[in-house]
Amino acid sequence: MKLDRWTRQAALMLTALATLLAGCTSYVTTQVTAFSNWEGGSDASRTYAFERNPSQQNSLEDSTYEQVVANELATHAFTQADLQHAHYLVAIAYGTRSDMAVSSTPAYYYDPWPGPYYWGRPYGWGGWGPWGPYGPYGGGYVTQSYPVFTHTLGIRITDRASGKEVYNVTARSSGDEPSLVYAMPYLARSALADFPLGNGVVRTVKLPVDQQSGAPNEVAAGVAAPAAPASGAKTVQ
């Protein structure tokens, strides 16, 4: 049947499109907001220690995320040191929020009557064609609800001697991934991209997803690898 040939052709086109899209690079998009009073200084002065509140002292989760942040700080010549010898103190804060989003999408159905009938005017008097006015498919809209997860990482750098805050940056990303562990390397990389940013800067950073696994490298206890090379970052001011 003519319709069967059309259906097969459409299926082949969709398969080709899916293959093409699978080869495209996907990105994690993060909004970054920075407040800065960074005065520079030599690389030798960029020594730091992580600062924890009492509830964080024995947290494996905190130590894991600190290592992710430490990896990114190292790309900007920061070196960890003992608390007594550190020039800066670095504190991190993080969290995940879940919301429900609603979307409406067109709903299509297959017309089982391929023709040669003409609808719209009786007996084919100037009708719209063998499938009616809407082609072989038609329908309304379907409303769907789905969860959206917002992951946030805050990094605060203070001068240890004076207690003065010198840098405060927040990175926030939203999507269908519920795991903060998955998102953390992208958040840390985005938060510290092009350090130091100016005071009051708000921008969007896009990082490519690992095409091998669709996820960043595994975050092990005490050892974390960055999500993607720094050169892979795209920034929209």
Side-chain angles (χ1 to χ4, degrees):
M1 295 176 60
K2 182 178 179 181
L3 182 60
D4 290 338
R5 289 197 300 273
W6 185 92
T7 303
R8 287 195 297 270
Q9 291 174 355
L12 289 173
M13 291 177 61
L14 290 174
T15 301
L17 179 60
T19 302
L20 178 63
L21 292 177
C24 296
T25 301
S26 57
Y27 291 87
V28 173
T29 302
T30 304
Q31 185 181 61
V32 176
T33 304
F35 297 94
S36 176
N37 191 25
W38 189 260
E39 297 178 353
S42 66
D43 290 351
S45 69
R46 293 189 179 188
T47 56
Y48 73 96
F50 281 107
E51 181 182 23
R52 293 187 180 186
N53 61 42
S55 66
Q56 295 175 311
Q57 290 302 320
N58 299 311
S59 170
L60 282 173
E61 184 176 19
D62 275 272
S63 62
T64 301
Y65 296 156
E66 284 174 357
Q67 186 59 49
V68 177
V69 173
N71 287 349
E72 298 305 324
L73 287 171
T75 67
H76 301 286
F78 281 88
T79 304
Q80 280 190 266
D82 294 335
L83 181 62
Q84 295 78 8
H85 301 96
H87 189 166
Y88 300 105
L89 297 177
V90 177
I92 65 171
Y94 53 85
T96 297
R97 188 187 71 215
S98 176
D99 298 297
M100 294 300 295
V102 178
S103 67
S104 295
T105 56
Y108 298 97
Y109 64 86
Y110 174 64
D111 187 345
W113 306 103
Y117 309 103
Y118 290 76
W119 292 280
R121 296 181 185 178
Y123 308 107
W125 293 345
W128 289 293
W131 293 295
Y134 303 110
Y137 297 88
Y141 286 82
V142 173
T143 299
Q144 295 179 318
S145 299
Y146 56 92
V148 174
F149 300 92
T150 300
H151 304 294
T152 304
L153 169 66
I155 301 174
R156 181 174 183 261
I157 302 177
T158 59
D159 183 90
R160 185 180 67 87
S162 65
K164 178 183 177 182
E165 182 178 274
V166 295
Y167 201 70
N168 192 327
V169 62
T170 301
R172 182 177 292 103
S173 66
S174 298
D176 59 1
E177 172 55 52
S179 173
L180 180 59
V181 173
Y182 178 101
M184 186 57 69
Y186 296 107
L187 293 172
R189 172 60 59 90
S190 299
L192 293 171
D194 300 325
F195 174 90
L197 297 175
N199 187 50
V201 169
V202 179
R203 68 175 188 171
T204 300
V205 177
K206 296 174 65 177
L207 291 173
V209 175
D210 183 350
Q211 293 301 304
Q212 296 298 320
S213 62
N217 295 324
E218 180 179 357
V219 179
V223 180
S231 59
K234 291 187 176 182
T235 301
V236 180
Q237 295 287 359

